Amino acid sequence: MRSSSLVGLVAVLVCLPASAVASVPVLADATLLKKAGIPLRDFDPETGVALTELRPEQQRRLQELAHEEGRCGGFEALPAQPWLKGEDGRQALLDLRAARRRTEAEAEALRRSPGRAGTLERKPEIEAALKQVSEENLRAWVGWFSSFADRFNQGSQPNAPVEALQAKLKELVRSTPFAVSVETIAHQSTPQKSLRVRIAGKSRPKEIVVLGAHLDSINQDFWGSSPLAPGADDNASGSSNLYEALRILVQQPQPERTVEFFWYAGEESGLLGSAEIAKSYKGASQRVVAVLQLDMTLFPGSGEGTLGSMTDFTSPWLRQYFAGLNAAYIGAKIVDDQCGYGCSDHASWHRQGYPALMPFEATFGDMNHKLHTAKDLIDSSSSFRHSAMFARIALAFAMDLGNSTAQAP
Ligand code: BES
Ligand code: ZN
């Protein structure tokens, strides 16, 4: 049983939510809730997901049960998600059902006409751009992000790293020959802001390609002696991959589609920034054609060059497209896996019906277990060669999808 092993114990510790002190609304697997003897407040028979409120001891019981089944958290969405309260909780159940139906229809459409996965045409300008990705730049950026005491959305200076990065991004795009905007996005659910860089599309500006990473970090190590949250792997790594991809992208011709880069606020407290952003895009009927999420890319737990591709809360079409992109440009070994719950910001976009992709440093079981502790630093286990692969994925994703007409069936 996994929870009796040391690995399991470490996983239990790092996965305990910061909010384990109050009663919190969650969406969780109904079978698991029933097993734990927890009453359901609302239930969707189609997805098997239920809405309930959990007291701290119930959260722990559910987490233990989930860990016995080999999953971190066990919630479809972990606690501290204010938008799950009241009517919004009901809406979240409905959104999830709609997302599940769309995903099934997409998978069915792919089965009917399998397309040409793995036969994506190589473009010399993309190959040339990919060669410019620098491991040394990534090392410097991960060091920079992890040098803040924390990037916690509930910390004393939640916007210090946001404003510092904004200044660096403005500097980066200052002399770009086409318009690039750099803005902060304020939120209802957290004082921390998200950052967005937008490159307007030349011929099809209404079609949006999104690339994102969460900028915040958290320390959930109750037994640790340090309050620092350097979050080198989680998620200075993905944040740095995006900066490196953007640095090279702005030296290329203006893309045909709009390409947006996000550094999200408050992911660790419940996908807060991305939930608000994806919801507002849906509300404004924005056409987001694809979403890439990079969250943890520095620890080659399943071997250098091997990545885990999450199959839950992601799009079958985009995963098939990614297989083709990988064959043409990257050459990673892709292992399909699942988080088992909405483990990062891709879930926010998926929930609103947008096609999302989540390539991860390793399989779920092989991930870096120093996450959410003061020990999540650059160390001998870090591989910038491995992480550079994800910067190349981001750049190829932006350049290829940004100039194509590909979209979900
Ligand atoms: N990067 C982590 C989690 C993660 C683990 C992603 C394994 C992919 C594979 C992420 O920042 C995180 O900690 N997410 C929360 C979920 C959120 C809803 C609070 C988590 O997993 O506890
Ligand atoms: Zn993360």
Side-chain angles (χ1 to χ4, degrees):
M1 194 167 75
R2 197 174 163 209
S3 58
S4 63
S5 70
L6 184 63
V7 171
L9 180 66
V10 172
V12 170
L13 303 187
V14 298
C15 292
L16 278 171
S19 53
V21 284
S23 192
V24 286
V26 298
L27 291 180
D29 178 69
T31 319
L32 206 63
L33 285 169
K34 283 184 194 149
K35 233 189 212 174
I38 296 163
L40 316 182
R41 184 112 74 65
D42 204 343
F43 171 60
D44 179 11
E46 194 175 313
T47 56
V49 173
L51 173 70
T52 189
E53 291 240 335
L54 297 182
R55 294 190 306 276
E57 74 275 12
Q58 292 175 315
Q59 289 178 50
R60 271 190 294 276
R61 187 139 35 100
L62 199 62
Q63 252 156 352
E64 275 159 21
L65 265 177
H67 280 290
E68 282 170 24
E69 301 192 352
R71 287 289 161 214
C72 187
F75 308 109
E76 184 284 318
L78 277 174
Q81 303 206 323
W83 48 271
L84 276 181
K85 287 214 169 98
E87 265 309 293
D88 284 351
R90 175 90 200 134
Q91 189 55 46
L93 274 182
L94 295 175
D95 289 346
L96 202 63
R97 180 198 288 190
R100 164 95 48 116
R101 283 186 183 171
R102 264 189 307 273
T103 307
E104 275 164 13
E106 197 182 303
E108 180 53 31
L110 287 182
R111 274 194 294 273
R112 279 199 307 271
S113 64
R116 304 192 311 143
T119 59
L120 195 134
E121 206 177 301
R122 264 199 204 113
K123 295 186 190 139
E125 64 273 22
I126 297 185
E127 290 190 311
L130 295 179
K131 291 204 180 95
Q132 296 178 48
V133 167
S134 150
E135 291 174 28
E136 281 323 300
N137 283 355
L138 292 177
R139 183 185 294 275
W141 272 106
V142 174
W144 182 84
F145 278 108
S146 2
S147 67
F148 292 87
D150 62 67
R151 304 185 299 283
F152 189 35
N153 74 301
Q154 301 164 51
S156 60
Q157 290 197 297
N159 286 308
V162 180
E163 280 154 16
L165 179 59
Q166 184 185 28
K168 301 241 180 211
L169 289 167
K170 281 195 165 157
E171 181 57 29
L172 174 71
V173 306
R174 209 163 44 95
S175 50
T176 306
F178 41 83
V180 184
S181 65
V182 180
E183 310 150 283
T184 55
I185 300 171
H187 297 298
Q188 304 283 324
S189 53
T190 175
Q192 192 172 54
K193 292 171 183 170
S194 295
L195 266 173
R196 174 176 57 206
V197 173
R198 172 185 281 149
I199 304 173
K202 199 167 147 194
S203 57
R204 281 172 282 125
K206 293 206 164 135
E207 298 173 17
I208 309 174
V209 176
V210 164
L211 294 90
H214 70 87
L215 177 134
D216 65 312
S217 69
I218 196 168
N219 184 327
Q220 294 183 327
D221 188 1
F222 295 149
W223 286 270
S225 52
S226 165
L228 298 179
D233 190 9
D234 189 10
N235 183 27
S237 63
S239 296
S240 303
N241 294 152
L242 284 196
Y243 183 95
E244 182 65 356
L246 179 64
R247 176 184 74 80
I248 301 164
L249 187 66
V250 294
Q251 293 165 14
Q252 312 302 316
Q254 183 178 7
E256 304 300 334
R257 283 172 160 164
T258 292
V259 180
E260 295 185 351
F261 283 66
F262 285 95
W263 285 264
Y264 304 111
E267 187 268 355
E268 303 287 11
S269 296
L271 319 180
L272 300 178
S274 61
E276 288 191 21
I277 292 167
K279 197 172 171 192
S280 86
Y281 272 54
K282 177 72 179 301
S285 303
Q286 299 267 32
R287 280 183 62 194
V288 176
V289 293
V291 177
L292 172 71
Q293 174 72 3
L294 292 182
D295 184 0
M296 301 177 73
T297 68
L298 192 56
F299 179 76
S302 303
E304 226 166 51
T306 297
L307 60 82
S309 174
M310 297 311 175
T311 60
D312 50 352
F313 302 91
T314 58
S315 147
W317 161 71
L318 202 51
R319 292 200 309 272
Q320 175 179 293
Y321 164 82
F322 177 50
L325 192 81
N326 180 57
Y329 299 112
I330 313 292
K333 182 177 172 204
I334 301 175
V335 181
D336 282 350
D337 203 4
Q338 296 201 339
C339 274
Y341 59 100
C343 65
S344 192
D345 300 300
H346 59 293
S348 296
W349 292 99
H350 173 84
R351 213 188 282 279
Q352 301 299 337
Y354 295 119
L357 181 72
M358 164 70 167
F360 182 63
E361 63 188 10
T363 59
F364 190 87
D366 290 342
M367 74 170 165
N368 188 349
H369 285 295
K370 290 179 187 150
L371 84 164
H372 304 173
T373 75
K375 295 197 176 93
D376 183 5
L377 292 160
I378 298 175
D379 63 18
S380 58
S381 74
S382 310
S383 167
F384 287 94
R385 195 202 293 179
H386 188 65
S387 190
M389 181 169 84
F390 293 85
R392 287 200 300 275
I393 289 170
L395 183 56
F397 187 93
M399 285 184 73
D400 190 73
L401 276 177
N403 291 295
S404 89
T405 53
Q407 59 180 7

